[in-house]
Amino acid sequence: MTDYPGWNLLLVIWLAGAAFSILMGLIRRFHWLQWLAASLLLGPFALLLSPFLQGRGYTVSLLQRAQPGPSRPVPSDKKILHGPPLFVPEIRQLKSEGKLDEAADMLLVLIDTVEEKARRHGTGVPHWYYEQLARIYRKQEKTKAEIKVLKRCLDFGTIKPNASKRLQQRLNQVTRSR
């Protein structure tokens, strides 16, 4: 097999195709482990498979293709900061299915977005996202992460003072129990 003169070129082409396929899978947000395996196995031929799959974030599986739902309008900054929390049904569903890591990832993205909008407008942040993330960390027994999230919210400042009080009480309770 090593006597074949084009073997090295064929291997380089295969690996380049696999690397490009992995990159395209990440861009389209396929489930990264399954796409990595498919790309390494199929090499450049995995690119032929990718147009038939639809990426929908970290819940996409190559084996279980979900139908795309209706697109949501992009909410305004005012609605994000002062309206009801976004993606509540999705987060609750992930939590009820036991997909706590996925719910935590989603909440972290939402927290980053809310903080960016709050900085731009010079206001506090809605507390719901932080509370939900702290609860997830409490369930997972990640005390340091829970403390970090609670401090992050309190340092930034919340919109509602009673929420600040509740978060401060929880932070005190967690730090005392350590």
Side-chain angles (χ1 to χ4, degrees):
M1 190 185 245
T2 57
D3 297 337
Y4 179 65
W7 174 249
N8 291 337
L9 179 64
L10 184 64
L11 182 64
V12 168
I13 291 172
W14 190 270
L15 291 175
F20 184 70
S21 175
I22 290 168
L23 178 67
M24 295 307 293
L26 290 174
I27 290 171
R28 294 197 57 207
R29 300 182 74 187
F30 293 135
H31 189 279
W32 71 275
L33 280 177
Q34 291 177 1
W35 192 249
L36 175 68
S39 296
L40 291 177
L41 279 173
L42 301 175
F45 300 109
L47 293 172
L48 299 175
L49 177 69
S50 67
F52 302 104
L53 302 171
Q54 293 182 348
R56 288 181 40 133
Y58 41 79
T59 58
V60 170
S61 169
L62 296 178
L63 306 174
Q64 184 179 24
R65 183 173 167 188
Q67 296 298 321
S71 63
R72 291 183 171 200
V74 177
S76 67
D77 289 358
K78 185 177 179 181
K79 187 173 182 179
I80 290 173
L81 292 172
H82 301 289
L86 303 174
F87 301 103
V88 173
E90 291 87 347
I91 292 169
R92 286 188 176 152
Q93 181 179 359
L94 287 171
K95 286 172 63 177
S96 69
E97 292 174 358
K99 298 178 180 178
L100 298 178
D101 289 331
E102 291 177 12
D105 290 342
M106 189 174 191
L107 285 165
L108 283 169
V109 169
L110 287 167
I111 286 171
D112 289 340
T113 303
V114 163
E115 286 180 353
E116 176 191 331
K117 307 282 184 198
R119 263 188 224 100
R120 190 177 313 147
H121 294 283
T123 65
V125 292
H127 59 90
W128 188 83
Y129 306 111
Y130 296 90
E131 283 184 317
Q132 295 303 310
L133 187 56
R135 287 178 184 172
I136 288 172
Y137 288 149
R138 186 179 329 145
K139 266 188 180 177
Q140 293 178 329
E141 297 179 359
K142 296 180 178 177
T143 309
K144 288 181 182 178
E146 182 182 0
I147 291 171
K148 187 176 177 181
V149 167
L150 293 170
K151 283 183 179 178
R152 182 176 176 179
C153 183
L154 291 169
D155 289 345
F156 204 95
T158 62
I159 294 171
K160 298 182 179 178
N162 60 347
S164 294
K165 206 180 297 182
R166 190 170 58 245
L167 291 171
Q168 185 63 51
Q169 287 172 347
R170 178 62 193 159
L171 180 61
N172 292 340
Q173 182 183 4
V174 172
T175 53
R176 275 194 306 250
S177 66
R178 280 183 72 194

